[in-house]
């Protein structure tokens, strides 16, 4: 990380044109969703006018999405793409992460267009873009298309994660748990700390409705694995899992109200459906009719 920060700063401040090593470092940095802050000093001129400026702004925008509203991320990535200064490979990286931001914002048509661009280019991010398209098919209710994509994804496309999300959405808890456990094991084999934490949060989610005791154990491990990472959406999803685990107990509604504010501030409306489900489950456990209006939407 120190070398990446120093290389970006030197390339930006001195207008360097030999960016080959920085391009590779950028892909390595974004590969596993650890998101150590780059913390580059602000440039003298905020508008990029060299390729080095554009690369620095690209990587800064990607990492700062963990602390900024996702719409701000999409806007920053659009601005850097519009400069036309990014090397071709990193243009693909910008398109992919903008599409991810659109998905998080529930702007699924825009997300699909971006993922199709990246998948169609058949570059190094194509497996991730195909994963994104499978996820968007699942969100649209097109489970046959989503399932058909899984065997084509492999490790680079995080096939176990995609399969687990599909099976969980279909309420097939046993198969979802098996997929998430397999994904966690595969992440451990590859030394991918970010993916391992994501799988652990999803595993806790999969068991939370049926087995709150096990969910507590899985959630404790999830928090342990998230420690030192900067994964805002997964940290917030872990809080939703805690609501499900504690369904029926006092304070769940108040905690959900507070969490709603955090989701709004982060620009992560896709997580609202998880919280709606958590609140519906809470009221069902208590034998109550859910209120006609609430904090989730």
């Amino acid at each position: 990380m120190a070398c990446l920060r120093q290389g970006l700063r030197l390339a930006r401040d001195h207008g360097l044109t030999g960016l080959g090593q920085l391009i590779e470092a950028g892909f390595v940095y974004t590969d596993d969703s650890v998101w150590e802050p780059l913390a580059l000093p602000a440039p003298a001129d905020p508008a990029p006018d060299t390729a080095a400026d554009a690369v620095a702004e690209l990587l800064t925008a990607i990492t700062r999405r963990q602390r900024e509203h996702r719409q701000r991320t999409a806007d920053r990535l659009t601005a850097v793409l519009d400069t036309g200064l990014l090397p071709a490979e990193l243009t693909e990286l910008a398109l992919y992460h903008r599409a991810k931001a659109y998905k998080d914002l529930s702007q699924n048509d825009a997300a699909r267009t971006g993922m199709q661009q990246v998948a169609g280019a058949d570059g190094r991010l194509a497996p991730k873009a195909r994963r994104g398209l499978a996820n968007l098919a699942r969100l649209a209710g097109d489970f046959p298309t989503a399932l058909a994509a899984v065997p084509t994804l492999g490790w680079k496309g995080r096939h176990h994660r995609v399969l687990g999300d599909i099976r969980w959405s279909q309420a097939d808890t046993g198969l979802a748990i098996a997929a998430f456990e397999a994904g966690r094991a595969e992440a451990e084999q590859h030394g991918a700390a970010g993916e391992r934490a994501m799988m652990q949060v999803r595993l806790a989610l999969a068991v939370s409705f049926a087995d709150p005791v096990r969910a507590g154990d899985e959630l404790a491990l999830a928090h342990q694995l998230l420690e030192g990472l900067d994964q805002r959406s997964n940290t917030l999803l872990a809080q939703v899992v805690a609501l499900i685990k504690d369904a029926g107990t006092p304070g769940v509604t108040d905690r959900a109200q507070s969490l709603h504010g955090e989701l709004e501030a982060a620009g992560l409306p896709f997580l609202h459906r998880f919280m709606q489900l958590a609140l519906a489950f809470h009221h069902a456990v208590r034998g109550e009719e859910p209120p006609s209006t609430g904090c989730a939407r």
Side-chain angles (χ1 to χ4, degrees):
M1 277 303 302
C3 291
L4 177 58
R5 291 189 194 101
Q6 183 181 46
L8 283 172
R9 180 171 50 79
L10 289 172
R12 186 190 66 188
D13 293 350
H14 297 282
L16 302 182
T17 56
L19 302 178
Q21 289 185 335
L22 281 181
I23 291 171
E24 184 60 31
F27 276 107
V28 171
Y29 171 68
T30 58
D31 185 55
D32 187 37
S33 304
V34 172
W35 307 125
E36 287 187 60
L38 286 174
L40 294 177
D45 182 354
D49 59 7
T50 68
D53 289 340
V55 172
E57 171 60 12
L58 167 65
L59 295 180
T60 300
I62 290 172
T63 188
R64 286 190 63 180
R65 82 189 204 281
Q66 303 301 328
R67 290 169 293 285
E68 292 183 338
H69 194 284
R70 285 297 201 270
Q71 187 61 57
R72 171 66 175 147
T73 301
D75 291 344
R76 290 182 69 175
L77 291 174
T78 296
V80 77
L81 281 164
D82 286 348
T83 67
L85 294 169
L86 285 172
E89 284 184 280
L90 292 184
T91 296
E92 180 184 354
L93 188 66
L95 287 169
Y96 172 72
H97 281 279
R98 185 176 65 174
K100 285 188 67 175
Y102 285 144
K103 175 184 170 293
D104 291 344
L105 290 161
S106 294
Q107 297 174 19
N108 290 351
D109 288 343
R112 187 175 296 104
T113 298
M115 292 297 181
Q116 288 170 338
Q117 284 180 275
V118 177
D122 204 26
R124 63 195 294 173
L125 290 179
K128 292 187 175 184
R130 287 193 284 269
R131 178 187 73 222
L133 290 170
N135 286 332
L136 289 163
R138 169 179 56 83
L139 292 172
D142 186 358
F143 289 105
T145 295
L147 280 168
V150 172
T152 72
L153 297 175
W155 158 249
K156 290 184 178 180
R158 305 303 194 251
H159 53 156
H160 291 306
R161 192 203 312 172
V162 174
L163 180 59
D165 285 344
I166 293 169
R167 295 308 188 192
W168 185 83
S169 298
Q170 295 175 322
D172 196 332
T173 301
L175 289 179
I177 288 171
F180 292 139
E181 288 177 332
R184 183 183 62 186
E186 190 171 40
E188 289 171 351
Q189 291 168 5
H190 286 84
E195 183 67 16
R196 181 178 60 172
M198 280 189 243
M199 290 300 91
Q200 185 61 36
V201 174
R202 282 167 165 77
L203 178 57
L205 174 65
V207 303
S208 60
F209 289 96
D211 190 343
V213 173
R214 180 181 173 186
D217 293 338
E218 300 292 1
L219 195 56
L221 179 56
H223 285 300
Q224 180 182 330
L225 296 180
L226 285 167
E227 188 71 29
L229 306 182
D230 199 1
Q231 294 185 355
R232 194 176 193 182
S233 65
N234 283 292
T235 299
L236 292 172
L237 180 57
Q239 293 184 45
V240 177
V241 174
L243 295 179
I244 298 169
K245 175 182 71 69
D246 297 338
T249 64
V252 165
T253 302
D254 290 340
R255 286 160 57 194
Q257 186 71 38
S258 175
L259 181 56
H260 171 75
E262 292 188 60
L263 299 184
E264 289 291 297
L268 295 169
F270 84 98
L271 286 176
H272 282 302
R273 64 179 177 272
F274 292 98
M275 197 162 68
Q276 283 182 311
L277 186 58
L279 284 172
F281 185 56
H282 169 68
H283 291 299
V285 169
R286 293 173 66 90
E288 302 171 343
E289 285 292 326
S292 57
T293 60
C295 66
R297 60 179 188 213

